[in-house]
Amino acid sequence: MGEMTVKGYAERRVKCDIVKYTLGFTADGMTIPEAVEAVNKELEHFLEIMENNGIKSEMFELEDNNTSKKYSFDEGEKPYLSERKISIRMPLSTYNINSMMQYIAKYKLNVVLNEEYIYSDLNALHKELLRDAIADSKSKAELIASFTGQKIKGIASVTTQYSECSMDFMCQEQMCILAESASSFAEHLSDPMIEEDEKVEVVWLIED
């Protein structure tokens, strides 16, 4: 019984179905308490707007709180800085994304916004890709073996980078959807996509 090592590969592009917003609020002050009070007002103002638009405060997660002294500042500038970060996950749609941007503009919110686009069922996707990558390796091995009249008999070993995703996403039905926004061309943009892949190296047993 001989052996043959053949690499396999599989990839797929999928539409993201979750958007995670991370929202950062900052304010400065002559003292730390003054900076904290100012940033708290910014955050409370934002949460009040969200509550008025159907998004409960408990749907947001606290990401970070910090205060610091600025390393450099001009004379007369407030020397202390306070920052608060929160996040929320929503079903991904250009409608939701457009609504969030419109809220920032409409209410003149002083917030730094970052978006992360996520595909919620990565575990299932990568299991399928792993299966397809092994099938790709087998197809190549069978083709090579056929040139010499040999046959594939089984697998001796498989090397892969596969590991299950540890992120726990809430069900789409539990996520919030923003209230109606003004119609715009941006609502018709295509949803973002990501490309995922799996690579394997399979040692196949071949019949001599």
Side-chain angles (χ1 to χ4, degrees), residues 71-88:
Y71 286 109
S72 61
F73 54 92
D74 296 329
E75 185 177 351
E77 184 182 351
K78 296 176 180 178
Y80 294 96
L81 185 71
S82 182
E83 180 180 28
R84 303 196 70 178
K85 285 185 181 180
I86 59 174
S87 66
I88 190 171

Side-chain angles (χ1 to χ4, degrees), residues 7-201:
K7 293 180 179 179
Y9 180 75
E11 66 177 2
R12 192 179 305 172
R13 280 176 57 83
V14 294
K15 280 187 178 183
C16 299
D17 55 357
I18 294 174
V19 57
K20 178 184 178 182
Y21 292 110
T22 301
L23 304 110
F25 301 85
T26 59
D28 54 13
M30 295 303 295
T31 64
I32 287 178
E34 182 181 313
V36 169
E37 181 180 8
V39 80
N40 283 345
K41 286 181 179 178
E42 292 281 354
L43 177 58
E44 286 296 308
H45 176 53
F46 172 78
L47 292 175
E48 181 182 7
I49 291 168
M50 292 292 103
E51 288 269 356
N52 291 338
N53 285 278
I55 310 301
K56 299 298 183 183
S57 298
E58 56 264 28
M59 302 187 81
F60 291 89
E61 296 178 8
L62 179 63
E63 292 282 339
D64 186 40
N65 288 325
N66 70 75
T67 60
S68 62
K69 187 171 184 178
K70 298 177 183 176
Y71 286 109
S72 61
F73 54 92
D74 296 329
E75 185 177 351
E77 184 182 351
K78 296 176 180 178
Y80 294 96
L81 185 71
S82 182
E83 180 180 28
R84 303 196 70 178
K85 285 185 181 180
I86 59 174
S87 66
I88 190 171
R89 292 194 296 265
M90 298 181 180
L92 194 156
S93 70
T94 51
Y95 174 85
N96 260 354
I97 292 171
N98 195 52
S99 296
M100 181 65 79
M101 299 303 290
Q102 287 186 13
Y103 287 168
I104 292 173
K106 178 180 178 180
Y107 297 104
K108 297 178 173 56
L109 298 171
N110 183 26
V111 58
V112 176
L113 174 69
N114 289 306
E115 296 178 1
E116 179 184 359
Y117 305 126
I118 301 165
Y119 180 67
S120 61
D121 206 2
L122 277 177
N123 283 335
L125 174 61
H126 276 270
K127 287 176 182 177
E128 292 176 9
L129 289 172
L130 183 60
R131 179 197 62 203
D132 292 346
I134 292 174
D136 178 56
S137 173
K138 183 178 181 182
S139 177
K140 293 172 183 174
E142 288 176 336
L143 178 62
I144 295 169
S146 70
F147 296 153
T148 56
Q150 297 174 307
K151 291 184 179 181
I152 299 298
K153 302 298 291 183
I155 294 177
S157 66
V158 178
T159 303
T160 177
Q161 298 297 315
Y162 173 79
S163 62
E164 290 201 353
C165 174
S166 61
M167 298 185 74
D168 181 23
F169 300 113
M170 61 178 76
C171 296
Q172 292 264 13
E173 292 76 13
Q174 296 176 315
M175 294 189 194
C176 55
I177 298 175
L178 292 173
E180 186 175 354
S181 66
S183 179
S184 72
F185 290 111
E187 289 181 13
H188 305 293
L189 296 171
S190 299
D191 291 337
M193 301 185 73
I194 58 171
E195 187 171 290
E196 297 290 321
D197 62 58
E198 281 291 341
K199 304 178 183 70
V200 296
E201 186 173 277

